[in-house]
Each structure stands twice: as structure tokens, then as C-alpha cells.
Amino acid sequence: MRIKVINPNTTWSMTETIAHAARAAVSPGVEIEAVSPAHGPVSIEGHYDEAMACLGLLDEVKKGERDGVDAYVIACFGDPGLDAAREIARGPVIGIAEAAMRSAGYLATGFSVVTTLQRTVVIAEHLLDKYGARAQCRRVRACEIAVLELENPASDAYRTILAECRRALAEDGCGAIVLGCAGMADLCRRLSGELGVPVIDGVAAAVATAEALVRIGLGTSKRGDYAAPLRKPYAGMLAPWAPGG
Ligand code: 5HY
């Protein structure tokens, strides 16, 4: 089985962190291909970044379809381009936010999300509504750490995230923590050990979900809105991306 994990930002050092967490979460023999697109933002911290990251992301899914990939993971907590990717993929496409939110629901009646910048909180809240997880989420909290600061050993990111998780457990009445950035994947086990509650890394939850769905023979429905995009010409620089092109 081959699972393609796409980090839609173009920071390969973060893609390596993501790849490591993904490989640790799947069964022996499952191949993880971890990539970043050639084009796009170095980090995704808002609506515009998300929109600009989608083309590179969808390009990687198209390549995966040519290469016979069995499933995909979108390794960015905004789950950018998730529905569009499902239109062009046969296998399951799992967003890390959706996987983390649904996994938290199995483990606690209430969870809190601890994410990076305050400006991205509304994106996570929109996803809670989309996935029907608002009732289980006690609060979405921000640490005010920029995504790429997670890559900087001198940023003290771990201590800042740990403190925010402690506040969530003390104030929100939650029983589990969802990490709000793929770049936090390598902090998950240490945080869980220090906090004594389930801490959910969406990368691990997403690849585990993807593997399970492929194992039981399931793929993305091709009936209705996830059917292949309708063939039509695209104008200008996007002409090569026209459906069926
Ligand atoms: C992520 N951005 O997981 C999101 C996190 C965020 O580049 N990878 C990013 O802050 O929304």
C-alpha cells in the first residue's frame, strides 16, 4: 500500500518532520511518500496562503493518480483543497484536521485545539462546523507561534505549546488535546507524556485512517460532488490544469 502525504507548504524540513511521524504511525510494509509542491507558500497561516497552496497540492494528487497511489493525506491543519482533491482521487483523501477532530471524539467527550496563530483560529472553527465536531470542541486556542518558528530550536515553541495545553486542561474542561499544526507532529508523544491525556497529532491520525480505509477496500465516492470534475477548457495560465487536460 502506498500513501502519499502532501505538506502543502514548501518547507521541506517540515515535510521531513511530517514524514517521520507518518512512517511511525503505519503498519510495516505501508509505503509513505512525503512531498511538498514545487510551488506555493513556505507556510500557511491564513485564507490567502491556503488558496495559493491549493494548486501545488492538487498537482501532487494528479501525479499520485498517474503513479497508482492508494490514498492521500493533506498535512496542513486547514485541510486546504480537501474536497477538490477528492474529486480527482480514486482512493481516500484524509485531511489532518478532520482526522484529528474525529479521533479526539473517540477518546474524550470534549477536546481543545491548540494551534499556532490567532488569525488561523477561525479556520479551525469553520472546520469544526463542517465536520460536525463543534459540540465536542471546548475551545480553539492559539499560542501565537508562527508556523516556521516550530522549526527553530531556539524558539522555545515546546514550552509555549505545553503551557497552552495546561491552560486548556485547567480551564476548558476538555479530556484531550488536538495539535493544530502538522509542524507539531514531533512534539506529540512528549506532550502526551507530560500532560497525561491523549494528545492527537493529525498526521498520525490521518495516515492511520487512510491505511484502515484502504485495508477494508474503501475509496472516495465517484457519485455526486466527488465525481471527476466536468471537462471544460480553462483560460490563461491555468489552461494546463483544465479537467481532463
Ligand atoms: C499547518 N499551516 O499545519 C498549518 C497550521 C496553521 O503551514 N501547516 C501550515 O497554522 O494553520
Side-chain angles (χ1 to χ4, degrees), residues 1-5 68-73 91-94 210-211 214:
M1 186 193 305
R2 190 160 160 208
I3 301 175
K4 188 170 187 176
V5 177
V69 163
D70 298 296
Y72 303 85
V73 165
V93 183
I94 311 294
E211 180 187 342
V214 173

Side-chain angles (χ1 to χ4, degrees), residues 6 8 44 50-51 53-54 57-58 73-86 93-102 123-124 126-128 130-131 179-182 202-203 206 226:
I6 306 168
I44 298 166
E50 280 202 352
C54 285
L57 158 74
L58 294 170
V73 165
I74 297 179
C76 175
F77 202 75
D79 294 353
L82 180 62
D83 295 317
R86 286 175 174 165
V93 183
I94 311 294
I96 66 168
E98 184 174 14
M101 291 172 183
R102 294 196 192 286
I123 294 175
H126 287 170
L127 293 179
L128 288 168
K130 179 182 178 184
Y131 303 140
L179 297 178
C181 182
V203 173
Y226 286 158

Side-chain angles (χ1 to χ4, degrees), residues 16-93:
E16 294 308 326
T17 302
I18 291 165
H20 189 75
R23 292 190 177 113
V26 291
S27 307
V30 173
E31 182 194 345
I32 295 288
E33 178 193 0
V35 300
S36 267
H39 309 281
V42 291
S43 65
I44 298 166
E45 296 167 322
H47 308 290
Y48 185 82
D49 290 343
E50 280 202 352
M52 285 300 151
C54 285
L55 202 55
L57 158 74
L58 294 170
D59 235 12
E60 290 302 330
V61 175
K62 275 189 166 191
K63 284 183 205 159
E65 289 303 285
R66 289 195 292 271
D67 299 346
V69 163
D70 298 296
Y72 303 85
V73 165
I74 297 179
C76 175
F77 202 75
D79 294 353
L82 180 62
D83 295 317
R86 286 175 174 165
E87 282 189 46
I88 59 174
R90 290 177 303 269
V93 183

Side-chain angles (χ1 to χ4, degrees), residues 75-182:
C76 175
F77 202 75
D79 294 353
L82 180 62
D83 295 317
R86 286 175 174 165
E87 282 189 46
I88 59 174
R90 290 177 303 269
V93 183
I94 311 294
I96 66 168
E98 184 174 14
M101 291 172 183
R102 294 196 192 286
S103 300
Y106 297 136
L107 306 172
T109 51
F111 65 87
S112 289
V113 176
V114 174
T115 192
T116 54
L117 297 177
Q118 184 60 38
R119 65 175 294 156
T120 69
V121 166
V122 67
I123 294 175
E125 290 171 343
H126 287 170
L127 293 179
L128 288 168
D129 295 331
K130 179 182 178 184
Y131 303 140
R134 179 75 83 160
Q136 288 96 21
C137 184
R138 299 291 177 261
R139 185 165 168 196
V140 179
R141 293 169 166 268
C143 299
E144 274 321 291
I145 296 175
V147 169
L148 293 186
E149 279 305 293
L150 294 168
E151 300 282 288
N152 170 8
S155 74
D156 210 21
Y158 178 79
R159 297 251 140 258
T160 307
I161 294 165
L162 178 64
E164 196 63 45
C165 292
R166 289 201 193 289
R167 276 190 287 275
L169 293 175
E171 299 165 11
D172 302 351
C174 60
I177 301 284
V178 164
L179 297 178
C181 182

